[in-house]
Amino acid sequence: MAFLTELPLLSLMWLTPAAGMLLVLLTPARQGRVMQSLAVLAALLPLLFAAFLYATFNQQQGGGAYAEHHHWIEIPLPFALSAGQAYSEAKLSFSYAVAVDGLSLPLLLAAALVTGLAVVTAVQLRKRRKAFYFWLLGLEASLIGLFMARDVLLFIVFIQAALVALYFLLGIWGNPDGERTANRLLAGAGLGSLLLLAVFLILTCTAGLRIEKAGEQLQTVYSGGYGGIARGLLAEDTSMSQEVLDMREAAVAPLSEGVRMVLFILQLIGFGLFMPLLPFHTWLMRAQAGAPTSVAMIVSGLLPAAGAYGLLRYGVFLFPEQAEKLAPAMAVIGIVQLLYGALLALRQTDMRQLLAYASLSQMGFIWLGIAAFNEIGLQGTIFQLMASSLCFALLWLVVGSLQERAKTTAISELGGLARSLPFICGIFMAAGLSLIGIPGLAGFPGILLSLLGLFDTLPWLAAAAMPGIVLTAAYMLRCLLRVIFGPIDERHTAFKDARFIEAAPMIILLAFIVLLGCFPSFLTDTVQQSITGLYSQLLAGRMGG
Amino acid sequence: MQMYAEAAFLIPLLPLAAYLILMALGRGSHTAGVWVGTGGAAASLLLSLLVWIERFRKGAVDYNDSFNWISIDRITLRIGFEVTNMSALLLVGVSLLSVLVHIYAAGYMKRDERLTVFYSYMSLFTFSLLALSLADNVLAFYLFWELASVSLFLLFGFWYAKSTARAAAKRAFIMLRLASAGLLLATLLLFWFMPEHALDFAAIHNVFEGQSGAIAKNITTLIASLLLLGAVGMAAQFPLYAWLSNAEQAPAPASALLQGAGMMTGALLLSKTTEIFQSAPAVTEAALYIGVVTAVYAAVRALMERDIKKVLIYSTISQLGVVQLSLALGAATSSMLYVLVHAICKTLLVLAAGHLLRTVGTADIGAMGGLRKHMPLAAWTFLIGGLALCGLPPLTGFWLQQSIWAEASEQHILWLAAIMLVLFLTAAYMSRMYFLIFEGKPRSAAAGIPEQGQKPSRLMSYSVVILAAIVVLSGFFQLVWGSLPEHWLDGDAAGRQGSMSLGLMLAAVAILLGGIWLGWLKNKRDASALLSNGNKLKDASAGWVADKASAIKRSFAVAGAALAAIEQAMGALPKLAAQLLYALGRLAVSFSLRSTIRGMGLAIILGLVITIIIMAAKGEW
C-alpha cells in the first residue's frame, strides 16, 4: 500500500466519484451491467482511500499530514490602498486547499462509507438508472469534498454541487410529488447556502486579509483560505512591521464583537438549515419522507453531519467566544428539539415520517454536545455525528427493503414480519436499539459523552434531556414492535428474506456500529489530538483577551 | 498467585461467545444450539467455582483490573472487574442457576423451532448478569445493566406473535428505561462530583464512608434518590413493579432465570452503594417505606391470584420488597445472601411450575387440584421450594433472616412487625397455592388425567431435583456452620456474634405456622368457590393498570397533536418561500423564452430604480 502515499489521495477521493460520473455518462444506456459496475467501483474506491488514511493517520500529529494546496483563482482588484507612504495593490485570492485532521477524518470515513453503500443499494432501482447514478455519484463527490475543503469558496462550491445533485435526485425520483420536495430543498438549503456565501465573503474581505511583501511593494490579498481566516480572527500577529500594520488598518476595520455575533448567528441559521435546527427543519422532514432509499440514507444522517461539521469548523472554531455566549441557548434548543422530534415521532403512522422526526430528535444531542463547550462534549458531538449517520443509513436500508416487499411503509399495515423476514428484522432491531442508545452499539457513547460534557457546564439542561432518552425508546419501540412482533398478515408470509446485495451493506454498517459501540476509542483517539490542539488555542485566546 | 481471579473476566465472556456463535448459527441447528448455550454457561460455572475456591486460600486478597474504555485528555472512563468474596459467591450462584435453567430449557423448549434463538438470548442475559456481578464501577454497572434489560426485553417478547407478549416486552423495556435514566443521571453526577472523576465502588466507599464532606449534602441526597430510582426499577418495586408482573409472557425457563438470578441486580446496586444511602437518611427512609409497601401489597396480591405464574411473580416482588427493606436497614451482607437463597428457591419454584404446566396444560390453579398422586416429584419439589422460601426451619431462609430481624428490631419495632407480617402472608399464599394445586379433589378434566398432556422431558426433572437438593443441603449447611458465610463475606473483623434470639425464633415459627393455617383455610374457601363457579377469582386490578396506561398514552397523544399543529404552522413559511421561488423561476423562464430582450430591459429598469433609491437614501442626488 506504500504507493498510495505518493498519490494526492485527498483529491483522488472526490475525483474518483466525479470521474465515475463521467464514465456513467459515456456508457451507452443499453449496457446496464457495465454502467452499474463502473458506478459501484467509483463509489467504493473513496472508501478504500478513506480507510487507508484512517489506518495511517498519525494521532500525535493531529492532522498536518495530509494537505494539498494549489493556487486557484486570483483576481486583481481595481483599486489600490495607501497608508502613509506605503502603497499597495489589492487582489482577491481563492485557492484549492484540502486537508484532513482528526475532526474531519472520521466524518470523511462515514461519508465514503454511507455514500458508497448508497450507490450499491441503488442497484435495485429501475427508473432512469443512468441519470440516477450520475447524480448520486455527484452527491458523493461533493459531500466528500466538503469534508476536506479548507477554502471558503471551495467549501461553498461543494455545498452547491451537493444541493444541485440533491435537487435532481429528489425532483426526479422523489415520491410522491418530487418536484415540490425539490423546490422546498431550494427554499430551505438553497437559502442556507446563500447565507453562508454571504458570511464567507464577509470573512474573506475582513479576517482573510493578508499583507504580502512583493519585492519592495506591498500587496493586499483578500484570501479565502481557512488558515488565514482563522489566524485573522483568533490570533493577533505581533510580528508584523509598522508599515504592514498601517496598511492593514487602512484596508479593513477589525471585526467588532457585534459583527462577529451576527456572523455566527447567520452561520447558525445557514448550517442549521442542513442540520436541522428546530424551526428550520421542515424541508428536511419532507425530503426524507419522499426520497428514494439510497438518497434518504444520505439525507437523514450524513447531510446533517455535513452541516454540523461546517458549523463546528467555520462557526464554533472561528468564533469561540460567541459560541460560548450562545451555548445555553443552543442547549435549550437542543433539548426542545430532542423532545419535540420525539413527541412528533411518537405519533407518526408511517415509518418514513417516523425516521425523519427521529433524525430531528437525535440531532438535539448534537446541539447539546456543541453547547457543552468542552472537550468531552465536542467528542460526543463528533461521535454522535458518525454514529447517527451510520445508524440512520442502516435504518433507511431496512425501511427500503421492507417497502420494496410490502409496497407500503405504513406502520399499521405491517406486523409480525419476524416470521417471514428474520434477518431483516434482526438488523432492524439492532439499528433501532442503537438509536435508543443501548450500550455496545454506536448510539450510546455519543449520547453519554454529550451529556457528560454538558453536565459540567449546564447540569440542569443535561438532566432535562433524560425524558428525551426515554421517549426515544418509546417511539422506536412502538415502530419496531409493531412491524416485527405480533401476528403476521396473510399477504406477508411469503416474503423472501434479504438477498446478498441487500444483506452485505446491512452487515457492513452493523459491523461498524458494533465496533464503535464496543470500542469507542477507535474514534475518540483519532479525534483527540485535533480537539486538544484546538482547545488549548481557545484557552490561550481567552488568557490573552 | 491468584491465577483464576485474574482470569475472572473470562467468566462473562464465555456466555457472550456462546451468544455470538448462536447468532451466527441462526435458526435450525437444534442440538448444536443447546450444546453451545449450555456449554457457555457450564464453562462459566467451572471457572466461577475455581475462582470461588481460590478465595478460601489463606491470604486471598481482592483482585481488581480495568481497561480504558474512552479516554479524553486527562479524563478516562474505565471498565473493570473486581473479584471479592461477594462477587465470587454471586458468580457461582448466577452461573449455577444459569446452567440448570439451560439444561431445563433443553427439555422445555424442545419443540420450539427457534430454540437456538432462545438460547442466544439466554446466553446474552447470562453474560450481562455475570458481568454485572463483576462490575467494579458505576459506569460498567450501567452498561451491563442496560444489556440485561435488552436481553430481558428480547426474552419477554420471545413468542413475538402473541400481542400480549409484545405488550409485556414494551412495558418492561420502557419501565426499565425510566429506571436506567435515573442510574445514568446518577452516574453523571458521580462523575462530576467525585474527586478525580472516580466512578469505582471502592472510591465511592471511601468518599462516602467517612462522610468527609467531599460532596455536598444535597448532592448526596440527589445521587441517592436517583440510584434508588434505578434500583426500584430493577427490583420491580412500587411503583415500577408492573413490568415484572407480565413476566409470565416469557418462556418459563427465561422467567425462572429472571426471577431468580435476574432480580439480584437491584439489590446488588443498593449493596454496592450502601455508603451513599447511609449519608442520605431521607432517601433511606423512602427506600424503607417503598420496600414495606411493595412487600405487603405484592404478598396480598399473591394471595388473590389464580394463575400459578402470577402468584410466583408477586411472590418475587414481595420478597424483593423485604430485601430492599433489609438493605435500607443496613444489613447489606445478609440481604445479599438472602437474595441469593431466594434466587435458588424461586428458580426451583418457577421451574417446577413450568413442569406442572407442561403436564397439565394450564397455568390456572383453579383448574388443578389433587395432583400430588399423579405427580409426586412436582409436589415434593414444590413443597421444598415453598417452605424454603417462607423460611421454615430447618431450611436456609430461616437462618438467614435472623440477622435481618436483629437489625430491624434494633432500629424500630415497626420494621420488625412489617417483616413478620410479610412472613405471615408468604406462608399463607404459599400454602394456599400448594393445597389448591396438589391436595383436595381434581377440579377439571385436565387435572384428573394429566397423562394426556405432554410428558415432561427427563432433563427438566433432573434440573428441578438438583435444585431441590441444593436447597435442602444449604439448609443443613446453615444448621451446622451458622453464620459463617456472613463472616466470610464481611471479612473476619466485621462479623456479628450471637444475633439469634430464641424468643424471636419461636415467634417466627408460630407466625409461619399461622400463615400456613390461613393459607389452608383460604384454599378451602377458594376450592369450594371454584367448584361452584369457575370464574369467581378475577384479576381486579388489571383494569386499573390499563386505565393508567391509556391515560398516559392519551396525554402524549394530546401533546403530539398540539406539536403537529405547530409543525404544520412552521412548515407554512418555507412552503410559501418555495412556491414564490417556483413562481419566480417560472416567470424568468417564460420571459427568457418569449423575449430575452424584454426581460433584459426589465432588469435594466429595475437596476436603475434600485440605484436611484440607494443614491437618494445616501443624500447624494
Side-chain angles (χ1 to χ4, degrees), chain A residues 54 57 59 62 101-107 375 378-379 382-383 521-533:
Chain A
Y54 207 95
F57 182 70
Q59 289 167 7
D101 62 0
L103 183 71
S104 45
L105 188 52
L107 295 173
E375 286 179 58
L378 268 182
Q379 283 272 18
I382 293 163
F383 206 105
S521 46
F522 173 76
L523 181 54
T524 50
D525 286 353
T526 306
V527 179
Q528 185 53 46
Q529 199 61 32
S530 308
I531 286 193
T532 308

PDB file of all heavy atoms in Angstrom, chain A residues 54 57 59 62 101-107 375 378-379 382-383 521-533:
ATOM      1  N   TYR A  54      -7.300   6.555   7.366  1.00  0.00           N
ATOM      2  CA  TYR A  54      -7.611   6.328   8.767  1.00  0.00           C
ATOM      3  C   TYR A  54      -6.558   5.444   9.413  1.00  0.00           C
ATOM      4  O   TYR A  54      -6.123   5.673  10.545  1.00  0.00           O
ATOM      5  CB  TYR A  54      -8.988   5.670   8.892  1.00  0.00           C
ATOM      6  CG  TYR A  54      -9.661   5.961  10.203  1.00  0.00           C
ATOM      7  CD1 TYR A  54     -10.561   6.999  10.305  1.00  0.00           C
ATOM      8  CD2 TYR A  54      -9.390   5.214  11.337  1.00  0.00           C
ATOM      9  CE1 TYR A  54     -11.172   7.302  11.492  1.00  0.00           C
ATOM     10  CE2 TYR A  54      -9.998   5.505  12.539  1.00  0.00           C
ATOM     11  CZ  TYR A  54     -10.890   6.552  12.604  1.00  0.00           C
ATOM     12  OH  TYR A  54     -11.480   6.847  13.798  1.00  0.00           O
ATOM     13  N   PHE A  57      -3.220   7.353   9.776  1.00  0.00           N
ATOM     14  CA  PHE A  57      -3.312   8.659  10.407  1.00  0.00           C
ATOM     15  C   PHE A  57      -2.477   8.689  11.674  1.00  0.00           C
ATOM     16  O   PHE A  57      -2.596   7.818  12.527  1.00  0.00           O
ATOM     17  CB  PHE A  57      -4.772   8.949  10.727  1.00  0.00           C
ATOM     18  CG  PHE A  57      -5.002  10.299  11.342  1.00  0.00           C
ATOM     19  CD1 PHE A  57      -4.850  11.447  10.586  1.00  0.00           C
ATOM     20  CD2 PHE A  57      -5.364  10.419  12.663  1.00  0.00           C
ATOM     21  CE1 PHE A  57      -5.077  12.683  11.134  1.00  0.00           C
ATOM     22  CE2 PHE A  57      -5.589  11.659  13.220  1.00  0.00           C
ATOM     23  CZ  PHE A  57      -5.433  12.789  12.455  1.00  0.00           C
ATOM     24  N   GLN A  59      -1.887   9.944  15.069  1.00  0.00           N
ATOM     25  CA  GLN A  59      -2.736  10.634  16.034  1.00  0.00           C
ATOM     26  C   GLN A  59      -2.002  11.760  16.750  1.00  0.00           C
ATOM     27  O   GLN A  59      -2.594  12.747  17.157  1.00  0.00           O
ATOM     28  CB  GLN A  59      -3.270   9.634  17.054  1.00  0.00           C
ATOM     29  CG  GLN A  59      -4.302   8.731  16.424  1.00  0.00           C
ATOM     30  CD  GLN A  59      -4.624   7.543  17.284  1.00  0.00           C
ATOM     31  OE1 GLN A  59      -4.172   7.450  18.411  1.00  0.00           O
ATOM     32  NE2 GLN A  59      -5.409   6.646  16.755  1.00  0.00           N
ATOM     33  N   GLY A  62      -2.014  15.182  14.795  1.00  0.00           N
ATOM     34  CA  GLY A  62      -3.241  15.956  14.760  1.00  0.00           C
ATOM     35  C   GLY A  62      -3.696  16.296  13.365  1.00  0.00           C
ATOM     36  O   GLY A  62      -4.707  16.925  13.184  1.00  0.00           O
ATOM     37  N   ASP A 101      -7.945  16.510   9.168  1.00  0.00           N
ATOM     38  CA  ASP A 101      -7.415  16.369  10.511  1.00  0.00           C
ATOM     39  C   ASP A 101      -8.313  15.416  11.294  1.00  0.00           C
ATOM     40  O   ASP A 101      -9.224  14.805  10.724  1.00  0.00           O
ATOM     41  CB  ASP A 101      -7.290  17.728  11.202  1.00  0.00           C
ATOM     42  CG  ASP A 101      -8.627  18.398  11.354  1.00  0.00           C
ATOM     43  OD1 ASP A 101      -9.636  17.799  10.927  1.00  0.00           O
ATOM     44  OD2 ASP A 101      -8.668  19.511  11.890  1.00  0.00           O
ATOM     45  N   GLY A 102      -8.049  15.304  12.580  1.00  0.00           N
ATOM     46  CA  GLY A 102      -8.790  14.334  13.386  1.00  0.00           C
ATOM     47  C   GLY A 102     -10.277  14.618  13.423  1.00  0.00           C
ATOM     48  O   GLY A 102     -11.091  13.717  13.622  1.00  0.00           O
ATOM     49  N   LEU A 103     -10.646  15.853  13.213  1.00  0.00           N
ATOM     50  CA  LEU A 103     -12.061  16.205  13.233  1.00  0.00           C
ATOM     51  C   LEU A 103     -12.776  15.720  11.980  1.00  0.00           C
ATOM     52  O   LEU A 103     -13.874  15.185  12.033  1.00  0.00           O
ATOM     53  CB  LEU A 103     -12.179  17.727  13.341  1.00  0.00           C
ATOM     54  CG  LEU A 103     -13.584  18.277  13.443  1.00  0.00           C
ATOM     55  CD1 LEU A 103     -14.166  17.951  14.792  1.00  0.00           C
ATOM     56  CD2 LEU A 103     -13.561  19.775  13.240  1.00  0.00           C
ATOM     57  N   SER A 104     -12.114  15.909  10.831  1.00  0.00           N
ATOM     58  CA  SER A 104     -12.819  15.593   9.592  1.00  0.00           C
ATOM     59  C   SER A 104     -12.623  14.147   9.146  1.00  0.00           C
ATOM     60  O   SER A 104     -13.455  13.618   8.422  1.00  0.00           O
ATOM     61  CB  SER A 104     -12.389  16.547   8.482  1.00  0.00           C
ATOM     62  OG  SER A 104     -11.008  16.705   8.473  1.00  0.00           O
ATOM     63  N   LEU A 105     -11.534  13.524   9.595  1.00  0.00           N
ATOM     64  CA  LEU A 105     -11.256  12.180   9.093  1.00  0.00           C
ATOM     65  C   LEU A 105     -12.371  11.171   9.409  1.00  0.00           C
ATOM     66  O   LEU A 105     -12.803  10.450   8.506  1.00  0.00           O
ATOM     67  CB  LEU A 105      -9.901  11.703   9.639  1.00  0.00           C
ATOM     68  CG  LEU A 105      -9.394  10.400   9.052  1.00  0.00           C
ATOM     69  CD1 LEU A 105      -9.390  10.446   7.552  1.00  0.00           C
ATOM     70  CD2 LEU A 105      -8.002  10.105   9.554  1.00  0.00           C
ATOM     71  N   PRO A 106     -12.868  11.112  10.662  1.00  0.00           N
ATOM     72  CA  PRO A 106     -13.944  10.155  10.932  1.00  0.00           C
ATOM     73  C   PRO A 106     -15.170  10.421  10.083  1.00  0.00           C
ATOM     74  O   PRO A 106     -15.801   9.492   9.565  1.00  0.00           O
ATOM     75  CB  PRO A 106     -14.270  10.363  12.410  1.00  0.00           C
ATOM     76  CG  PRO A 106     -13.128  11.082  12.969  1.00  0.00           C
ATOM     77  CD  PRO A 106     -12.489  11.834  11.874  1.00  0.00           C
ATOM     78  N   LEU A 107     -15.489  11.707   9.916  1.00  0.00           N
ATOM     79  CA  LEU A 107     -16.675  12.042   9.139  1.00  0.00           C
ATOM     80  C   LEU A 107     -16.450  11.726   7.662  1.00  0.00           C
ATOM     81  O   LEU A 107     -17.371  11.320   6.955  1.00  0.00           O
ATOM     82  CB  LEU A 107     -17.022  13.512   9.335  1.00  0.00           C
ATOM     83  CG  LEU A 107     -17.419  13.814  10.773  1.00  0.00           C
ATOM     84  CD1 LEU A 107     -17.592  15.294  10.996  1.00  0.00           C
ATOM     85  CD2 LEU A 107     -18.698  13.088  11.126  1.00  0.00           C
ATOM     86  N   GLU A 375     -14.092  19.581  25.927  1.00  0.00           N
ATOM     87  CA  GLU A 375     -13.568  18.524  25.063  1.00  0.00           C
ATOM     88  C   GLU A 375     -14.486  17.316  25.007  1.00  0.00           C
ATOM     89  O   GLU A 375     -14.691  16.726  23.950  1.00  0.00           O
ATOM     90  CB  GLU A 375     -12.192  18.097  25.567  1.00  0.00           C
ATOM     91  CG  GLU A 375     -11.137  19.112  25.271  1.00  0.00           C
ATOM     92  CD  GLU A 375      -9.801  18.670  25.809  1.00  0.00           C
ATOM     93  OE1 GLU A 375      -9.354  17.588  25.420  1.00  0.00           O
ATOM     94  OE2 GLU A 375      -9.218  19.389  26.622  1.00  0.00           O
ATOM     95  N   LEU A 378     -17.456  18.015  22.779  1.00  0.00           N
ATOM     96  CA  LEU A 378     -17.096  18.012  21.357  1.00  0.00           C
ATOM     97  C   LEU A 378     -16.881  16.593  20.862  1.00  0.00           C
ATOM     98  O   LEU A 378     -17.323  16.230  19.769  1.00  0.00           O
ATOM     99  CB  LEU A 378     -15.816  18.813  21.148  1.00  0.00           C
ATOM    100  CG  LEU A 378     -16.001  20.283  20.815  1.00  0.00           C
ATOM    101  CD1 LEU A 378     -14.663  20.920  20.587  1.00  0.00           C
ATOM    102  CD2 LEU A 378     -16.873  20.427  19.588  1.00  0.00           C
ATOM    103  N   GLN A 379     -16.188  15.797  21.678  1.00  0.00           N
ATOM    104  CA  GLN A 379     -16.005  14.392  21.312  1.00  0.00           C
ATOM    105  C   GLN A 379     -17.356  13.719  21.134  1.00  0.00           C
ATOM    106  O   GLN A 379     -17.569  12.959  20.187  1.00  0.00           O
ATOM    107  CB  GLN A 379     -15.239  13.666  22.424  1.00  0.00           C
ATOM    108  CG  GLN A 379     -13.767  13.937  22.441  1.00  0.00           C
ATOM    109  CD  GLN A 379     -13.023  12.970  21.558  1.00  0.00           C
ATOM    110  OE1 GLN A 379     -13.616  12.332  20.696  1.00  0.00           O
ATOM    111  NE2 GLN A 379     -11.730  12.879  21.737  1.00  0.00           N
ATOM    112  N   ILE A 382     -18.974  14.689  17.817  1.00  0.00           N
ATOM    113  CA  ILE A 382     -18.428  14.023  16.632  1.00  0.00           C
ATOM    114  C   ILE A 382     -18.813  12.550  16.627  1.00  0.00           C
ATOM    115  O   ILE A 382     -19.186  11.987  15.600  1.00  0.00           O
ATOM    116  CB  ILE A 382     -16.915  14.220  16.578  1.00  0.00           C
ATOM    117  CG1 ILE A 382     -16.644  15.701  16.339  1.00  0.00           C
ATOM    118  CG2 ILE A 382     -16.302  13.409  15.471  1.00  0.00           C
ATOM    119  CD1 ILE A 382     -15.266  16.111  16.649  1.00  0.00           C
ATOM    120  N   PHE A 383     -18.783  11.961  17.827  1.00  0.00           N
ATOM    121  CA  PHE A 383     -19.186  10.555  17.909  1.00  0.00           C
ATOM    122  C   PHE A 383     -20.633  10.395  17.465  1.00  0.00           C
ATOM    123  O   PHE A 383     -20.981   9.506  16.690  1.00  0.00           O
ATOM    124  CB  PHE A 383     -19.037  10.061  19.353  1.00  0.00           C
ATOM    125  CG  PHE A 383     -18.820   8.596  19.439  1.00  0.00           C
ATOM    126  CD1 PHE A 383     -17.574   8.092  19.733  1.00  0.00           C
ATOM    127  CD2 PHE A 383     -19.856   7.713  19.197  1.00  0.00           C
ATOM    128  CE1 PHE A 383     -17.360   6.745  19.779  1.00  0.00           C
ATOM    129  CE2 PHE A 383     -19.648   6.359  19.240  1.00  0.00           C
ATOM    130  CZ  PHE A 383     -18.400   5.868  19.540  1.00  0.00           C
ATOM    131  N   SER A 521     -12.944   4.105  21.602  1.00  0.00           N
ATOM    132  CA  SER A 521     -11.652   4.774  21.465  1.00  0.00           C
ATOM    133  C   SER A 521     -11.126   4.688  20.034  1.00  0.00           C
ATOM    134  O   SER A 521     -10.253   5.460  19.650  1.00  0.00           O
ATOM    135  CB  SER A 521     -10.642   4.206  22.445  1.00  0.00           C
ATOM    136  OG  SER A 521     -10.697   2.814  22.439  1.00  0.00           O
ATOM    137  N   PHE A 522     -11.661   3.777  19.252  1.00  0.00           N
ATOM    138  CA  PHE A 522     -11.351   3.720  17.819  1.00  0.00           C
ATOM    139  C   PHE A 522     -11.563   5.093  17.190  1.00  0.00           C
ATOM    140  O   PHE A 522     -10.812   5.528  16.331  1.00  0.00           O
ATOM    141  CB  PHE A 522     -12.268   2.682  17.174  1.00  0.00           C
ATOM    142  CG  PHE A 522     -12.186   2.614  15.679  1.00  0.00           C
ATOM    143  CD1 PHE A 522     -11.112   2.005  15.068  1.00  0.00           C
ATOM    144  CD2 PHE A 522     -13.181   3.163  14.892  1.00  0.00           C
ATOM    145  CE1 PHE A 522     -11.038   1.940  13.687  1.00  0.00           C
ATOM    146  CE2 PHE A 522     -13.112   3.100  13.510  1.00  0.00           C
ATOM    147  CZ  PHE A 522     -12.036   2.482  12.914  1.00  0.00           C
ATOM    148  N   LEU A 523     -12.613   5.764  17.635  1.00  0.00           N
ATOM    149  CA  LEU A 523     -12.922   7.080  17.100  1.00  0.00           C
ATOM    150  C   LEU A 523     -12.333   8.193  17.963  1.00  0.00           C
ATOM    151  O   LEU A 523     -11.716   9.124  17.467  1.00  0.00           O
ATOM    152  CB  LEU A 523     -14.441   7.230  17.009  1.00  0.00           C
ATOM    153  CG  LEU A 523     -14.979   8.524  16.449  1.00  0.00           C
ATOM    154  CD1 LEU A 523     -14.376   8.794  15.100  1.00  0.00           C
ATOM    155  CD2 LEU A 523     -16.475   8.437  16.315  1.00  0.00           C
ATOM    156  N   THR A 524     -12.517   8.080  19.278  1.00  0.00           N
ATOM    157  CA  THR A 524     -12.143   9.211  20.135  1.00  0.00           C
ATOM    158  C   THR A 524     -10.643   9.480  20.088  1.00  0.00           C
ATOM    159  O   THR A 524     -10.233  10.636  20.148  1.00  0.00           O
ATOM    160  CB  THR A 524     -12.569   8.954  21.587  1.00  0.00           C
ATOM    161  OG1 THR A 524     -12.114   7.675  21.980  1.00  0.00           O
ATOM    162  CG2 THR A 524     -14.059   9.019  21.734  1.00  0.00           C
ATOM    163  N   ASP A 525      -9.846   8.439  19.981  1.00  0.00           N
ATOM    164  CA  ASP A 525      -8.400   8.668  19.946  1.00  0.00           C
ATOM    165  C   ASP A 525      -7.993   9.444  18.709  1.00  0.00           C
ATOM    166  O   ASP A 525      -7.079  10.258  18.742  1.00  0.00           O
ATOM    167  CB  ASP A 525      -7.642   7.339  19.996  1.00  0.00           C
ATOM    168  CG  ASP A 525      -7.699   6.738  21.381  1.00  0.00           C
ATOM    169  OD1 ASP A 525      -8.208   7.430  22.286  1.00  0.00           O
ATOM    170  OD2 ASP A 525      -7.272   5.591  21.555  1.00  0.00           O
ATOM    171  N   THR A 526      -8.661   9.166  17.592  1.00  0.00           N
ATOM    172  CA  THR A 526      -8.346   9.885  16.366  1.00  0.00           C
ATOM    173  C   THR A 526      -8.697  11.361  16.484  1.00  0.00           C
ATOM    174  O   THR A 526      -7.965  12.232  16.044  1.00  0.00           O
ATOM    175  CB  THR A 526      -9.127   9.274  15.192  1.00  0.00           C
ATOM    176  OG1 THR A 526      -8.862   7.886  15.158  1.00  0.00           O
ATOM    177  CG2 THR A 526      -8.739   9.904  13.898  1.00  0.00           C
ATOM    178  N   VAL A 527      -9.834  11.608  17.109  1.00  0.00           N
ATOM    179  CA  VAL A 527     -10.308  12.982  17.197  1.00  0.00           C
ATOM    180  C   VAL A 527      -9.507  13.771  18.227  1.00  0.00           C
ATOM    181  O   VAL A 527      -9.335  14.982  18.103  1.00  0.00           O
ATOM    182  CB  VAL A 527     -11.810  12.973  17.565  1.00  0.00           C
ATOM    183  CG1 VAL A 527     -12.340  14.371  17.678  1.00  0.00           C
ATOM    184  CG2 VAL A 527     -12.599  12.188  16.548  1.00  0.00           C
ATOM    185  N   GLN A 528      -9.015  13.040  19.230  1.00  0.00           N
ATOM    186  CA  GLN A 528      -8.480  13.681  20.421  1.00  0.00           C
ATOM    187  C   GLN A 528      -7.478  14.794  20.149  1.00  0.00           C
ATOM    188  O   GLN A 528      -7.640  15.916  20.598  1.00  0.00           O
ATOM    189  CB  GLN A 528      -7.836  12.618  21.326  1.00  0.00           C
ATOM    190  CG  GLN A 528      -7.363  13.160  22.647  1.00  0.00           C
ATOM    191  CD  GLN A 528      -8.476  13.892  23.355  1.00  0.00           C
ATOM    192  OE1 GLN A 528      -9.591  13.396  23.425  1.00  0.00           O
ATOM    193  NE2 GLN A 528      -8.181  15.070  23.847  1.00  0.00           N
ATOM    194  N   GLN A 529      -6.440  14.456  19.364  1.00  0.00           N
ATOM    195  CA  GLN A 529      -5.343  15.400  19.215  1.00  0.00           C
ATOM    196  C   GLN A 529      -5.817  16.711  18.591  1.00  0.00           C
ATOM    197  O   GLN A 529      -5.451  17.789  19.038  1.00  0.00           O
ATOM    198  CB  GLN A 529      -4.241  14.758  18.361  1.00  0.00           C
ATOM    199  CG  GLN A 529      -2.908  15.425  18.497  1.00  0.00           C
ATOM    200  CD  GLN A 529      -2.398  15.352  19.921  1.00  0.00           C
ATOM    201  OE1 GLN A 529      -2.664  14.409  20.634  1.00  0.00           O
ATOM    202  NE2 GLN A 529      -1.671  16.370  20.341  1.00  0.00           N
ATOM    203  N   SER A 530      -6.662  16.584  17.601  1.00  0.00           N
ATOM    204  CA  SER A 530      -7.147  17.802  16.947  1.00  0.00           C
ATOM    205  C   SER A 530      -7.922  18.662  17.918  1.00  0.00           C
ATOM    206  O   SER A 530      -7.806  19.882  17.934  1.00  0.00           O
ATOM    207  CB  SER A 530      -8.045  17.440  15.778  1.00  0.00           C
ATOM    208  OG  SER A 530      -7.398  16.534  14.958  1.00  0.00           O
ATOM    209  N   ILE A 531      -8.736  18.020  18.734  1.00  0.00           N
ATOM    210  CA  ILE A 531      -9.572  18.785  19.649  1.00  0.00           C
ATOM    211  C   ILE A 531      -8.720  19.409  20.739  1.00  0.00           C
ATOM    212  O   ILE A 531      -8.925  20.569  21.114  1.00  0.00           O
ATOM    213  CB  ILE A 531     -10.648  17.872  20.255  1.00  0.00           C
ATOM    214  CG1 ILE A 531     -11.696  17.578  19.206  1.00  0.00           C
ATOM    215  CG2 ILE A 531     -11.285  18.545  21.442  1.00  0.00           C
ATOM    216  CD1 ILE A 531     -12.922  16.972  19.752  1.00  0.00           C
ATOM    217  N   THR A 532      -7.742  18.675  21.222  1.00  0.00           N
ATOM    218  CA  THR A 532      -6.893  19.228  22.270  1.00  0.00           C
ATOM    219  C   THR A 532      -6.169  20.457  21.772  1.00  0.00           C
ATOM    220  O   THR A 532      -6.117  21.491  22.447  1.00  0.00           O
ATOM    221  CB  THR A 532      -5.877  18.181  22.743  1.00  0.00           C
ATOM    222  OG1 THR A 532      -6.583  16.996  23.064  1.00  0.00           O
ATOM    223  CG2 THR A 532      -5.139  18.669  23.959  1.00  0.00           C
ATOM    224  N   GLY A 533      -5.628  20.341  20.550  1.00  0.00           N
ATOM    225  CA  GLY A 533      -4.931  21.484  19.986  1.00  0.00           C
ATOM    226  C   GLY A 533      -5.836  22.692  19.916  1.00  0.00           C
ATOM    227  O   GLY A 533      -5.498  23.794  20.339  1.00  0.00           O
TER     228      GLY A 533
END
